[in-house]
Structure formats: C-alpha cells, structure tokens
C-alpha cells in the first residue's frame, strides 16, 4: 500500500506525496495506489483504445486532443482528459468506444494487454528544461487548500526535488531511460513516439502521421481542420471557456478554466533558469543521457 511521505529541502520547503514501490505519486492518484495499479494491469483493453503516455508538462493535453479528434473523427474539444491515474476502473470500463486515455505512468505500469500489443500507445516527450519550467509555474497556480497543505515549494526547492527525482512520477531522466528500454525490447508495432519540439515545428505532418498510425480518416480537409483546432492559440482560446471539472481538477483547482495553456513555446526556460542552474542541468543531462536514443532541442 502507498504511504504518505514528505520530501524536504534544508530550508523547510516540502512536498507531500504518495509513495508506493519506490515511486512517488500525486495525492489524488486513486486510493492506496497498489490496488488501482493492479486494476490497470488487468484492464480489458479494446482494439480501438489509445493510451497517451507522457511525463507531466510534455504536451499531454495537446497530444490527447489531437488523438481524440482523430479517433472520434470529429473536431470537438474533449475538455478535461480521462486519466488512468485519477479515474476509477468502473468508470474507465464503462466509457464508450473509441476510448482515449492519458497517463503519466511509464510503460511497465500500463495494462498487460496493451503491453502485449492490443490497442495503441502514443507517447510524447519534451526537452526537460521546458518541462521543469512548465511544471513549476503550473504548480504555483494550484489554488486548492489541500494542495497548499501538501506543497510548499519555491523555484529553487522544486528544482532540487526535480533534479534528484523526489517528485511525483519520479525523475524525468528515469522516465526517458524506461522508454529507451521499451524502444529496445518492445516487440509490437503499437507505439508512436512523438517529440514536442518536432510537433511545434510542423504540426500538420504529425497530425497526418498520427492519423496513419491510428488507421483513421486521413482526408486532407479533416486533417487540416484538426491541425487548425490544435494550434496553441486555438486550444488556449478554447480553454478560456468554463468547463465541468473532472475529479482530478477539483482536487487541485477552484478555477473552472483549464490552467494548462501558458506559452506553448520552445525555450521559455531561458527566461527562468539561472546560469548556474542551467550549467548544472547540462552536466546532469550529459551524464544521464549519454546512452539514450532520444535527443532534444532546447531552443
Ligand atoms: P507551457 O507551460 O510551457 O506553456 P501537459 O498537457 O503535459 O500538462 O503540458 C502542458 C504544456 O503544453 C504547457 O506548456 C502548454 O502550454 C503546452 N501546450 C498545450 N497545448 C499546446 C499546443 N497546442 N501547442 C503547443 N504547446 C501546447
């Protein structure tokens, strides 16, 4: 069963999280973590299920929105995402097909059937300096009392927790290494790998690539409509509208607008990192990524 743990820096800043089997989870992860992980492992996967998998702040909402539109063959915004992590199994089981799920968990914790090749996985990665920047600035917006009780951090303390992996969903570097292993070992052809910076550069091509991967309509007019709906500007405009918050949002925010769309740029980290933080980050990155098959653009 998960235990509630507190990580601290030497200045008294802290984060309280669930910890199970050596990994950290957000507090609104379902129940004692163990039982929900077991239910996810045993989940009945359908052929047209799609799992959008990412480390937080890597473009999850963006990718999910594109996949959802393609899968459903319509250009309606999905609102808040259906996360495996925060939705009970009965609700997940009863969703109509085609189902699109998001998760911040790694491949090893996905349903057994999808790991064996049933259904599809789309995974998206982003350069970690922008991931960190997006995550820390997002954490500041959390205005629910429970969140304030559990998180008392500054940019510096958050940086420390992020760099040594004492953070919900663990170290970004471990996340990448786990996917390197999947790339080496996974036998199926049901995984599409995406890079945020590439999508930013040429969204239309990646919408097409995803349509092909999912085996859905690739009519030019439809793909162009999806591309247009999924630009940062149009998604950010949509998010200024009120929506019905899911349980996951109720746990962290009182505001009824999705606080996800901030800048949507490559390289905003430069406006926030100190030179010393950037140098230290580069050192750790060089060491930890030396055997990785992933490469990232930081500007
Ligand atoms: P920033 O905070 O850097 O702006 P996630 O969905 O994984 O939480 O990721 C959120 C990040 O993705 C935010 O980054 C958000 O602005 C960015 N994002 C969301 N939609 C986007 C889009 N259509 N194009 C580019 N970036 C997008």
């Amino acid at each position: 069963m998960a235990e509630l743990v507190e990580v601290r820096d030497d200045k008294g800043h802290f984060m309280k999280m669930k910890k199970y089997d050596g990994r950290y989870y957000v507090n609104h992860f379902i129940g004692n973590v163990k039982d929900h992980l077991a239910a996810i492992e045993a989940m009945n996967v359908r052929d047209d299920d799609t799992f959008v998998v990412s480390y937080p702040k890597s473009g999850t909402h963006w990718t999910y929105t594109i996949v959802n539109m393609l899968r459903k063959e319509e250009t309606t915004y999905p609102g808040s995402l259906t996360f495996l992590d925060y939705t009970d199994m009965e609700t997940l089981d009863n969703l109509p097909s085609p189902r699109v799920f998001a998760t911040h968990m790694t491949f090893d914790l996905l349903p057994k059937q999808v790991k064996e090749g049933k259904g599809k996985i789309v995974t998206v990665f982003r350069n970690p300096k922008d991931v960190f920047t997006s995550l820390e600035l997002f954490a500041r917006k959390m205005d629910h009392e429970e969140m304030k009780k559990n998180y008392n951090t500054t940019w510096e303390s958050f940086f420390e927790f992020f760099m040594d992996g004492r953070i919900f969903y663990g170290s970004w570097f471990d996340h990448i290494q786990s996917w390197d292993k999947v790339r080496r070992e996974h036998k199926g052809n049901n995984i599409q790998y995406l890079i945020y910076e590439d999508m930013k550069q040429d969204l239309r091509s990646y919408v097409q690539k995803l349509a092909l991967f999912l085996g859905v309509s690739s009519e030019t007019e439809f793909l162009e409509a999806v591309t247009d709906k999924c630009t940062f500007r149009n998604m950010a405009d949509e998010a200024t509208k009120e929506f019905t918050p899911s349980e996951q949002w109720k746990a962290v925010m009182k505001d009824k607008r999705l606080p996800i769309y901030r800048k949507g740029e490559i390289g905003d980290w430069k406006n926030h990192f100190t030179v010393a933080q950037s140098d230290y980050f580069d050192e750790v990155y060089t060491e930890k990524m030396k055997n990785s098959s992933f490469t990232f653009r930081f500007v």
Side-chain angles (χ1 to χ4, degrees):
M1 290 222 293
E3 45 173 343
L4 287 173
V5 295
E6 184 179 287
V7 299
R8 275 192 173 264
D9 70 359
D10 57 11
K11 295 194 179 64
H13 302 110
F14 62 83
M15 287 205 279
K16 294 180 185 170
M17 296 170 284
K18 289 181 179 174
K19 189 174 185 188
Y20 172 67
D21 203 16
R23 303 192 206 201
Y24 295 102
Y25 296 86
V26 287
N27 290 304
H28 53 284
F29 195 96
I30 296 265
N32 67 15
V33 180
K34 178 177 189 259
D35 293 345
H36 193 54
L37 288 183
I40 290 171
E41 164 86 16
M43 182 176 175
N44 280 319
V45 173
R46 305 176 196 159
D47 288 324
D48 58 358
D49 281 345
T50 315
F51 297 79
V52 174
V53 186
S54 62
Y55 191 83
K57 301 293 142 203
S58 302
T60 322
H61 287 72
W62 188 15
T63 308
Y64 184 103
T65 303
I66 299 168
V67 166
N68 199 64
M69 286 181 180
L70 292 173
R71 264 286 184 225
K72 301 200 167 140
E73 307 209 357
E74 58 179 38
T75 54
T76 315
Y77 290 109
S80 60
L81 318 188
T82 304
F83 266 91
L84 290 183
D85 320 24
Y86 323 124
T87 318
D88 64 82
M89 193 46 65
E90 193 185 342
T91 306
L92 295 172
D93 277 342
N94 288 324
L95 289 171
S97 292
R99 301 183 297 183
V100 181
F101 307 109
T103 180
H104 292 319
M105 292 182 289
T106 43
F107 179 84
D108 53 309
L109 299 179
L110 294 182
K112 183 166 181 284
Q113 291 181 348
V114 76
K115 288 189 280 187
E116 290 171 351
K118 190 170 186 192
K120 295 205 159 122
I121 296 170
V122 177
T123 174
V124 60
F125 304 90
R126 184 183 192 187
N127 87 70
K129 285 183 176 173
D130 279 332
V131 165
F132 174 74
T133 304
S134 180
L135 190 57
E136 203 280 332
L137 298 178
F138 175 75
R140 287 187 204 179
K141 290 188 213 156
M142 303 291 94
D143 63 357
H144 195 287
E145 289 78 11
E146 276 306 306
M147 291 299 283
K148 289 190 191 151
K149 269 195 251 159
N150 292 329
Y151 297 91
N152 175 355
T153 55
T154 54
W155 173 273
E156 287 75 21
S157 53
F158 212 83
F159 186 75
E160 184 180 324
F161 299 146
F162 183 87
M163 292 309 283
D164 61 17
R166 289 186 298 152
I167 191 165
F168 38 86
Y169 296 109
S171 151
W172 179 89
F173 298 101
D174 291 347
H175 181 91
I176 294 293
Q177 279 165 10
S178 77
W179 279 102
D180 266 316
K181 184 167 183 291
V182 177
R183 267 186 163 173
R184 284 192 306 271
E185 295 175 2
H186 183 64
K187 300 275 185 290
N189 56 0
N190 64 332
I191 305 179
Q192 175 69 58
Y193 295 85
L194 298 173
I195 302 279
Y196 179 101
E197 290 76 19
D198 294 344
M199 288 165 66
K200 245 335 254 187
Q201 195 171 334
D202 186 2
L203 182 55
R204 174 68 173 76
S205 296
Y206 284 91
V207 168
Q208 179 141 5
K209 206 179 175 79
L210 276 169
L212 279 175
F213 170 70
L214 296 171
V216 298
S217 164
S218 47
E219 265 178 45
T220 306
E221 212 176 301
F222 174 59
L223 298 187
E224 269 162 15
V226 172
T227 308
D228 181 56
K229 286 266 183 166
C230 294
T231 60
F232 177 77
R233 195 63 276 141
N234 287 342
M235 287 185 66
D237 282 352
E238 173 67 18
T240 58
K241 297 180 190 156
E242 281 206 4
F243 76 115
T244 312
S246 59
E247 291 308 309
Q248 110 218 14
W249 281 116
K250 282 193 215 151
V252 296
M253 291 287 296
K254 288 201 214 128
D255 194 357
K256 290 206 173 60
R257 285 163 191 82
L258 271 179
I260 292 291
Y261 306 92
R262 194 182 58 87
K263 279 199 173 172
E265 288 174 2
I266 308 169
D268 187 44
W269 63 270
K270 287 187 165 182
N271 298 316
H272 301 275
F273 274 59
T274 63
V275 172
Q277 282 167 343
S278 177
D279 288 349
Y280 172 61
F281 201 106
D282 292 346
E283 230 174 82
V284 175
Y285 183 91
T286 306
E287 172 55 27
K288 297 224 176 188
M289 297 290 286
K290 63 175 186 266
N291 297 320
S292 178
S293 63
F294 291 93
T295 48
F296 291 94
R297 265 190 305 126
F298 290 81
V299 285

